[in-house]
Amino acid sequence: MLTHRSGLGLEVHLVVLGVRITGAASASAEELLDGGLCTPLAGRSTGAAVPVDSALLAHLLVHGIAQHGLVPASYPMTRLIADAQDLCASRAQWDELLPDALKWIRSDVTAEEAEAVRDLALILSAGVDPASIAAADDRPGRLLRHILAGALDERYRDSLRIRALAHPLAVKSLSRKLARNVFYTVWLTRPQVDELYGKPRTTFGYWGWRLWRPFDLVLRSVKYGSAWVGHRLRKR
């Protein structure tokens, strides 16, 4: 993250996470350029380029669904729909871009999930009442209910956390990603302690929170597990 003194920040990524052009690794800038999947950016200095629309759609879907779909507090999924509407304003554009996008993200996003985003974006663009969409038992209806519950229902958000831990988005190896997630969930860095528990007054305070962390995780797991069971029972 590059942060300006005004508070604005710019994230610089080494890969396009989850967009796998060749093999299991997430695509790098070089891979996109070498594959002809970038176009020159008009009006900028020589060498500036942007990914083609199909690659942008792939990133949009994998970022909104696989990376943040089960952690709605970290990313507003309404932004996923709005960005999809901007990128694909018509069914014809979806039909043109989606097949390639799905090839690159199929290990993390299913065709059904991508089509739910497509259908919801197109229906909302057509001016259909969101209340009638949410009342329907179809793909766009289920997606819209998920978006609304993720934004408004704390117990629903808690019920997703167990599933989110079991489905991390890996750059390469899923087993390595799981091991890394477990390690950094238990052993907190100083910025993580500051964010989760507040900045301690002394250095020893960081060690105190690190020692408390495993017990805190047990309590949180009980809370999230209870929320998940409660959500499953309510669905029945």
Side-chain angles (χ1 to χ4, degrees):
M1 173 69 77
L2 304 179
T3 306
H4 189 267
R5 60 179 177 272
S6 66
L8 297 176
L10 176 66
E11 291 186 17
V12 179
H13 294 264
L14 300 181
V15 296
V16 187
L17 186 61
V19 178
R20 309 177 197 280
I21 306 298
T22 58
S26 296
S28 64
E30 289 81 4
E31 190 173 359
L32 290 173
L33 289 166
D34 292 344
L37 296 174
C38 289
T39 56
L41 188 58
R44 299 294 178 182
S45 60
T46 302
V50 294
V52 296
D53 285 349
S54 54
L56 290 175
L57 180 60
H59 168 63
L60 173 65
L61 292 170
V62 78
H63 178 264
I65 296 174
Q67 188 172 359
H68 295 292
L70 296 176
V71 195
S74 67
Y75 174 78
M77 289 194 71
T78 48
R79 189 177 298 169
L80 164 65
I81 304 302
D83 288 344
Q85 290 173 318
D86 287 341
L87 188 60
C88 298
S90 67
R91 180 63 181 253
Q93 287 177 299
W94 277 100
D95 291 344
E96 178 186 355
L97 301 179
L98 189 56
D100 279 340
L102 282 174
K103 286 192 304 186
W104 301 325
I105 61 176
R106 58 178 175 265
S107 62
D108 300 294
V109 177
T110 67
E112 183 178 6
E113 290 168 335
E115 290 165 1
V117 174
R118 176 199 64 193
D119 295 346
L120 180 56
L122 290 174
I123 292 172
L124 287 172
S125 295
V128 178
D129 182 6
S132 65
I133 300 173
D137 189 26
D138 54 13
R139 287 185 304 206
R142 290 191 293 273
L143 177 57
L144 184 55
R145 288 195 298 275
H146 169 69
I147 293 173
L148 294 173
L152 303 173
D153 187 340
E154 183 178 358
R155 284 187 60 82
Y156 180 72
R157 288 196 298 271
D158 286 345
S159 75
L160 298 174
R161 289 179 180 266
I162 300 296
R163 291 176 57 195
L165 289 173
H167 296 86
L169 184 58
V171 175
K172 293 182 181 179
S173 168
L174 181 58
S175 59
R176 288 175 58 188
K177 178 69 172 180
L178 283 169
R180 188 174 184 274
N181 279 0
V182 169
F183 177 80
Y184 284 109
T185 298
V186 176
W187 181 260
L188 300 178
T189 62
R190 287 195 172 201
Q192 286 175 317
V193 171
D194 295 344
E195 182 178 351
L196 289 169
Y197 303 113
K199 189 172 183 178
R201 295 180 180 178
T202 67
T203 301
F204 293 107
Y206 287 101
W207 287 98
W209 284 120
R210 286 166 178 160
L211 292 173
W212 164 248
R213 181 62 172 171
F215 301 99
D216 185 30
L217 288 174
V218 171
L219 295 175
R220 288 172 183 258
S221 297
V222 171
K223 176 186 176 184
Y224 300 150
S226 175
W228 180 80
V229 170
H231 174 67
R232 300 295 296 180
L233 292 175
R234 286 198 302 273
K235 285 181 66 175
R236 292 180 182 180

